[in-house]
Amino acid sequence: MAKRDAYKVLGMGRDASADELKKAYRRLAMKYHPDRNPDDAEAEKTFKEVNEAYDILKDDERRAAYDRFGHAAFEGGGPGGGGGFQGGGSGGFADIFEEMFGGGFMGGGGQRGGGGGQGADLRFNMEIKLEEAFEGKKAQVRVPTAVACETCDGSGAKPGSKPTSCSMCAGRGRVRQQSGFFTVERTCPTCGGVGEQIKDPCTSCGGAGRQEKEKTLSVNIPAGVEDGTRIRLAGEGEAGVRGAPTGDLYIFISVQPHRFFQRDQANIHCRAPIPMTVAALGGTIEVPTIEGKRARVSVPAGTPTGHQFRLREKGMSMLRSRARGDMFVQVTVETPVNLNKRQKELLEEFSHEGKHEDTNPQSHGFFAKVKDLWDDLTE
């Protein structure tokens, strides 16, 4: 029986692009897949036909040969002979199978995946002060974890003996099971993916090759680190089973809130109250800095509440840089309290001296507007 035209099998014309052929193939392969059409001989036949057609047309050289000679190009040892679905080939069907089953399956004789038993990654939460985030620090952390057994050196076998190749998977760590047209490959249930069996296990670790133990590690916290930063220590997680790769340790940094400073990336902000006299007449105040020193701030006469002063390069350190952010000081004018008799007299004299529109322009303007509003309401 003559074979159908490969282009017609995919529902495409001879001028179709490679991308168009691939999309058509994916659609048809998913539609007629045997797992989606159980006990449907016609669907199975179409599925094979679709795979064979795309196997020819996905390769530029094979497609060119087919365009010139048709199916005869692949008969009798012709160019690109041996047509049909090649399970171990690249592209095409492998992509479809990944979409449909999420991996773990293989066509033909290829192998996917590696040995099992890899050690788990660990997480350690570390809280530091803002000053430590500014300066950086070297910290010691104690982590409960699984480490390689010292008695058997991580092999899991009793000293003087050796693991043997797993009889179930022949040392590959994976076992295969035929499912229709495909080979399903899974971790070997006997050896857990290691590929070896322990006939004479180590008495210290019971054959696991690792033991529970608390270990102390030194961690360098870089200057400028931010809240939520994750530091990875490669190979410092749990030891793998019987010599399998070790996991990693992740240090998650949490920066404590500061009682005086608020951080905004590399900049820091703070608030400072100033006496009314300093705000009115001008003067100088001192504020603390993140490195534990003091900085002088010149306050010009007539400074209002909420005014913000910028101290350049007095902020936080920047990660992996010598640069620093800025520090912003927002002042609040403090109203005098607990006045003695003389102080009250002086303030009363000040209140009666001069014009309010000159000394207090904002409040004068506000109350002038209020007066106009009342006058409008009473008319």
Side-chain angles (χ1 to χ4, degrees), residues 4 9 21 31 34 41 45 49 54 99 105 143 145 157 171 192 207 222 225 235 245 258 309 311 331 342 353 376 379:
R4 293 175 60 200
V9 170
L21 291 171
K31 179 179 179 181
K45 178 183 176 181
E49 198 174 32
Y54 186 64
E99 291 180 8
F105 291 81
V143 183
T145 183
V225 68
H258 197 274
F309 295 93
L311 305 182
V331 297
R342 178 54 182 158
E353 188 72 24
D376 293 339
E379 287 181 357

Side-chain angles (χ1 to χ4, degrees), residues 131 133-136 222-226 263 265-268 290 314-325:
E131 291 87 350
F134 166 75
E135 296 176 351
V225 68
E226 295 190 28
R263 182 179 185 178
Q265 296 182 348
N267 298 325
I268 57 175
I290 189 64
K314 291 293 183 181
M316 292 293 294
S317 304
M318 294 186 183
L319 198 63
R320 295 183 290 274
S321 173
R322 294 184 178 181
R324 287 180 60 179

Side-chain angles (χ1 to χ4, degrees), residues 125-314:
N125 296 326
M126 178 183 292
E127 190 174 61
I128 63 174
K129 298 178 180 179
L130 186 63
E131 291 87 350
E132 294 172 328
F134 166 75
E135 296 176 351
K137 67 176 294 188
K138 191 171 186 178
Q140 300 289 322
V141 298
R142 297 178 67 84
V143 183
T145 183
V147 298
C149 176
E150 296 179 357
T151 304
C152 65
D153 199 24
S155 70
K158 188 176 181 179
S161 65
K162 293 183 178 181
T164 59
S165 180
C166 176
S167 57
M168 174 67 75
C169 64
R172 293 188 303 112
R174 310 282 289 181
V175 292
R176 297 172 179 171
Q177 181 181 355
Q178 195 70 27
S179 177
F181 294 97
F182 310 102
T183 300
V184 181
E185 191 173 88
R186 294 190 175 92
T187 301
C188 176
T190 302
C191 66
V194 179
E196 297 177 333
Q197 288 180 295
I198 305 294
K199 291 187 177 181
D200 195 2
C202 171
T203 56
S204 297
C205 63
R210 60 182 186 175
Q211 296 174 306
E212 296 296 324
K213 186 178 179 180
E214 186 175 69
K215 63 180 179 181
T216 301
L217 299 171
S218 179
V219 182
N220 289 316
I221 309 299
V225 68
E226 295 190 28
D227 186 76
T229 297
R230 186 184 71 171
I231 299 175
R232 175 175 173 261
L233 301 182
E236 295 295 351
E238 283 192 349
V241 177
R242 289 184 243 161
T246 303
D248 300 329
L249 172 64
Y250 292 91
I251 308 292
F252 284 78
I253 303 297
S254 174
V255 182
Q256 297 175 356
H258 197 274
R259 62 179 179 176
F260 185 69
F261 297 114
Q262 293 81 46
R263 182 179 185 178
D264 179 16
Q265 296 182 348
N267 298 325
I268 57 175
H269 299 258
C270 67
R271 293 183 179 181
I274 59 175
M276 181 187 69
T277 51
V278 174
L281 303 176
T284 302
I285 61 171
E286 287 188 340
V287 294
T289 60
I290 189 64
E291 64 263 45
K293 298 180 180 179
R294 295 182 179 183
R296 296 171 66 88
V297 179
S298 296
V299 180
T303 297
T305 286
H307 185 81
Q308 191 168 251
F309 295 93
R310 181 177 185 176
L311 305 182
R312 295 187 179 278
E313 297 188 350
K314 291 293 183 181

Side-chain angles (χ1 to χ4, degrees), residues 4 9-10 25-37 40-55 85 93 96-97 100-101 180-182:
R4 293 175 60 200
V9 170
L10 298 179
Y25 166 70
R26 288 186 173 188
R27 183 180 68 255
L28 294 170
M30 294 184 72
K31 179 179 179 181
Y32 293 105
H33 191 277
D35 287 353
R36 293 192 171 188
N37 302 273
D40 188 337
E42 193 63 32
E44 182 178 334
K45 178 183 176 181
T46 304
F47 180 72
K48 290 181 179 179
E49 198 174 32
V50 166
N51 276 293
E52 183 176 352
Y54 186 64
D55 187 62
F85 171 57
F93 187 73
I96 299 302
F97 211 83
M100 294 171 65
F101 300 101
F181 294 97
F182 310 102

